[in-house]
Amino acid sequence: MKQAMLIVNPSSGKEKGAEYTEFALETMKKMGYETELRETEGEGDARDFAREACERRLDFIAAMGGDGTINEAINGIAEQEHRPLFGLIPLGTVNDFARALNIPLDPEAAISLMEQQHSRWTDVGKINDRYFINIVAVGALAEASFSTPVEQKTKLGPLAYIVEGVKKMKEKQPFELRVKHEEGVWEGEALLMLIALTNSVGGFETIAPEAKVNDGKLHVMIIKDMALPQFLLLLPKVLTGDLAESEQVVYLKVPEIEVSSTYEMIANVDGDEGDKLPVKVGNLKRHIEILVPKEEQK
């Protein structure tokens, strides 16, 4: 039989990981895989398990958990020469990567989907020496998500980030930003910079509607410094998909960028605290093969 590994974060999704593990193992057996189960106990475990699976040249890796678990698993796979077929089973609050791939957010449905074995090659983002699958953000608004309480994210879902962001906007902290890319350099005062790899950011699928999971591009939005009332007028554009059309927003579609600032800024990488600026960000086009719904197979 082909060899596989199932990585489960038992604390994701209100500790529902254990509830679906047996069904996932049975499904993977039907798919023709002899599967070993690995459960995470702390930060970095999913990355280490995925890296081991690659080094042992297993045929398939499935990861069950929230965006953090999926991000870790991708980080374990992306840097390897042998990158097995990947399947994801969403259990988190937002599940941006699953949304971007139209993978069902219901774990049982996502597991059943894997059995159909339709796949596509998708992009992976790289920031300095680590990888991401959804978003890099810079600015006080992005750093606010570090402090968003887990209970609030569970209760409000994507709206939790906007609630925290509006709180931060009262303090309004613009920063000097320099963005170097293949078409030139942008310099100025910004409130927020978003570097999106997919169309789903923080659970909103309308922030970067043009972004595709395998277009080889970074979709960069720089929100310029502005007064709070102007900023609040931008929020409806997030929901309508018109954010990039605003005069207050610079929109770039490029394969890589270099980002720096005279301020001490920390990048938010897929919702977690990342590197301090300066950073180099790039798109590794069609880097990982992932199981998806039939209509997403390309």
Side-chain angles (χ1 to χ4, degrees):
M1 293 181 75
K2 294 179 288 185
Q3 302 296 306
M5 180 183 289
L6 173 63
I7 301 169
V8 177
N9 181 344
S11 62
S12 286
K14 300 179 182 177
E15 302 188 348
K16 287 185 176 179
E19 183 181 330
Y20 297 104
T21 297
E22 197 58 42
F23 180 49
L25 289 170
E26 289 173 4
T27 300
M28 291 168 75
K29 186 176 181 180
K30 289 180 187 175
M31 293 166 66
Y33 293 105
E34 183 178 332
T35 305
E36 54 190 90
L37 173 65
R38 297 292 179 89
E39 293 190 342
T40 64
E41 296 180 358
E43 187 177 344
D45 283 354
R47 179 196 63 229
D48 294 343
F49 293 152
R51 181 184 296 141
E52 177 197 336
C54 294
E55 290 171 349
R56 290 170 50 199
R57 304 188 76 81
L58 300 189
D59 301 291
F60 179 45
I61 299 171
M64 185 189 306
D67 282 329
T69 303
I70 305 304
N71 174 286
E72 280 196 18
I74 294 290
N75 266 269
I77 297 169
E79 61 190 7
Q80 303 301 315
E81 179 188 355
H82 173 71
R83 298 188 292 276
L85 179 66
F86 184 69
L88 68 99
I89 304 159
L91 284 181
T93 306
V94 177
N95 304 304
D96 271 321
F97 200 41
R99 289 174 187 270
L101 292 165
N102 283 323
I103 291 171
L105 302 186
D106 174 68
E108 192 167 329
I111 293 167
S112 297
L113 171 72
M114 292 197 312
E115 191 175 358
Q116 298 174 22
Q117 303 197 55
H118 301 298
S119 68
R120 75 182 301 178
W121 288 87
T122 64
D123 299 345
V124 173
K126 186 173 186 180
I127 174 168
N128 289 347
D129 295 323
R130 66 183 285 187
Y131 302 87
F132 66 98
I133 50 178
N134 290 306
I135 184 79
V136 170
V138 178
L141 291 173
E143 293 179 22
S145 68
F146 304 155
S147 57
T148 304
V150 174
E151 298 80 11
Q152 190 166 310
K153 286 194 283 186
T154 302
K155 184 179 179 181
L156 299 177
L159 289 176
Y161 297 111
I162 284 187
V163 170
E164 287 299 313
V166 170
K167 286 181 189 175
K168 274 283 183 184
M169 269 302 294
K170 291 176 182 177
E171 304 164 23
K172 203 166 88 62
Q173 299 174 14
F175 59 98
E176 289 290 334
L177 183 67
R178 186 176 193 271
V179 180
K180 183 181 177 182
H181 54 93
E182 63 180 10
E183 297 168 12
V185 176
W186 185 89
E187 289 184 277
E189 283 212 330
L191 286 174
L192 180 66
M193 180 180 69
L194 302 173
I195 307 169
L197 201 65
T198 73
N199 69 311
S200 186
V201 177
F204 295 98
E205 297 174 32
T206 50
I207 290 183
E210 290 185 30
K212 308 297 181 187
V213 295
N214 60 0
D215 63 7
K217 301 289 187 183
L218 302 172
H219 293 255
V220 183
M221 295 188 197
I222 302 166
I223 299 175
K224 301 175 188 176
D225 184 25
M226 69 189 82
L228 179 58
Q230 285 180 291
F231 178 78
L232 293 176
L233 289 174
L234 276 185
L235 293 182
K237 294 181 183 293
V238 170
L239 301 176
T240 60
D242 297 323
L243 184 62
E245 306 301 320
S246 170
E247 292 181 0
Q248 303 293 334
V249 177
V250 176
Y251 183 35
L252 306 169
K253 289 186 284 186
V254 290
E256 57 186 15
I257 58 172
E258 295 180 23
V259 184
S260 59
S261 176
T262 55
Y263 291 53
E264 186 171 294
M265 307 297 298
I266 300 173
N268 176 319
V269 182
D270 281 347
D272 292 324
E273 188 170 334
D275 295 345
K276 291 181 181 179
L277 268 52
V279 293
K280 288 185 177 182
V281 186
N283 182 312
L284 304 179
K285 188 173 182 180
R286 304 191 180 197
H287 195 65
I288 292 180
E289 187 181 12
I290 298 182
L291 292 178
V292 294
K294 185 177 182 180
E295 60 270 20
E296 289 291 312
Q297 186 179 24
K298 293 176 184 176

